[in-house]
Amino acid sequence: MAVLQRSSTYKAEGVVLSRRDLGDADRIVTLFTREFGRRRLVARGSRRPTSQHAPHIELFSRVRLVGGVGATLDVLTQAQNLEAYPRFREDLAAFAAAGWAVELLDGLSEDGEATPDAYAALVAFLGALNQRAADPEPLLSALALSLLDVHGYAPELWQCTVCSRTIEPGAHAFAPRTGGVICSTCSHDNASHPLSVDTLKTLRFIAHEGLTGAARLRADPRTRAELRTALRAYAASVVERDIASAHILERVGAGSAGPAAR
């Protein structure tokens, strides 16, 4: 992993995770970079109408940048937009799904810790989500499972996380606190969310097939709701904070319904 020294400059490719105002004209921009993980940079003057930085640091954009290492925050000196993902400005469900994804990644990340697999997964997800016909929720489920796996938090989907018995089709549930699926016997003593057979099959399918499989998936309303609830609760338990964008996505009711995965 590359180590950045104070006062040095660096080049990187990254995705804009968040922005917040600083003073009268500046912004603090948080990016997840391929080379150096999460970096926080001051984009000086980026709120001015004449700023050269402003068009290149829109939320969720993939950019090429040059930064200078500072004592507390880096300084953005150059930025070039590589991909702006126009669907996110027009489709609230896609925007909320992208927000859900970057909130999770931000919560899983440490400043300066490069995770190339997580970066590649995020970029692939944003590209797939930008397709107008894409259903945001299955793609988001695939990305969430991938990011959790990369960071060592993949949920257990085959054995009860309490008694270790193999999960048999039936009245099983998902327990965020124990890290995955629990059997009907153990579900009585643990805070859990209902998980139908179809939803468990769908979770396993997405975990195995990734974005490619998720793009083909058409889940029924019950499966979608159970997936949404289980993954939001589990992600929140891992990063120890609520995923705010998840509530927007739930209200929007993204995507179409169809038969559950088998």
Side-chain angles (χ1 to χ4, degrees):
M1 181 175 65
V3 177
L4 295 173
Q5 302 296 326
R6 185 174 172 182
S7 300
S8 65
T9 60
Y10 60 91
K11 296 179 180 180
E13 179 184 308
V15 172
V16 179
L17 302 185
S18 64
R19 309 181 309 174
R20 63 185 176 89
D21 294 345
L22 178 67
D24 294 329
D26 304 338
R27 280 196 175 100
I28 296 175
V29 184
T30 301
L31 296 103
F32 188 78
T33 69
R34 179 178 57 197
E35 296 84 356
F36 307 106
R38 189 176 64 190
R39 306 296 299 181
R40 304 182 194 277
L41 302 95
V42 177
R44 301 198 186 283
S46 59
R47 290 162 58 202
R48 296 193 181 106
T50 57
S51 170
Q52 294 182 342
H53 289 323
H56 301 283
I57 53 172
E58 294 294 330
L59 198 58
F60 312 137
S61 293
R62 183 169 65 92
V63 303
R64 183 176 292 118
L65 65 104
V66 178
V69 180
T72 55
L73 294 169
D74 296 352
V75 177
L76 183 67
T77 58
Q78 294 180 38
Q80 177 188 358
N81 196 317
L82 299 176
E83 182 62 64
Y85 308 111
R87 183 189 181 191
F88 304 165
R89 296 193 296 271
E90 305 164 0
D91 186 326
L92 182 57
F95 182 88
W100 203 118
V102 301
E103 282 188 64
L104 174 60
L105 181 56
D106 188 47
L108 291 169
S109 302
E110 298 289 341
D111 288 344
E113 184 178 289
T115 316
D117 288 346
Y119 182 77
L122 176 64
V123 170
F125 164 74
L126 294 174
L129 185 62
N130 191 49
Q131 303 303 309
R132 293 190 180 278
D135 183 351
E137 287 194 298
L139 295 177
L140 176 61
S141 297
L143 186 276
L145 289 171
S146 177
L147 292 180
L148 289 163
D149 184 32
V150 166
H151 288 87
Y153 295 102
E156 173 57 55
L157 302 177
W158 296 92
Q159 292 182 310
C160 176
T161 53
V162 176
C163 69
S164 299
R165 293 192 184 97
T166 299
I167 294 292
E168 301 291 342
H172 30 61
F174 191 93
R177 185 173 60 83
T178 64
V181 179
I182 55 177
C183 67
S184 56
T185 301
C186 297
S187 64
H188 299 298
D189 301 319
N190 292 275
S192 60
H193 303 277
L195 206 65
S196 68
V197 172
D198 280 346
T199 305
L200 180 56
K201 287 181 178 179
T202 301
L203 264 174
R204 290 172 174 175
F205 173 81
I206 293 174
H208 184 265
E209 297 294 329
L211 284 175
T212 302
R216 306 194 305 268
L217 188 65
R218 295 295 181 268
D220 62 57
R222 177 185 177 183
T223 299
R224 295 172 74 90
E226 290 183 352
L227 269 176
R228 192 184 300 136
T229 299
L231 287 177
R232 185 194 73 197
Y234 184 57
S237 73
V238 169
V239 301
E240 299 182 333
R241 65 183 188 228
D242 191 27
I243 306 294
S245 297
H247 301 285
I248 301 174
L249 189 57
E250 289 172 13
R251 290 198 298 270
V252 171
S256 59
R262 291 291 191 272

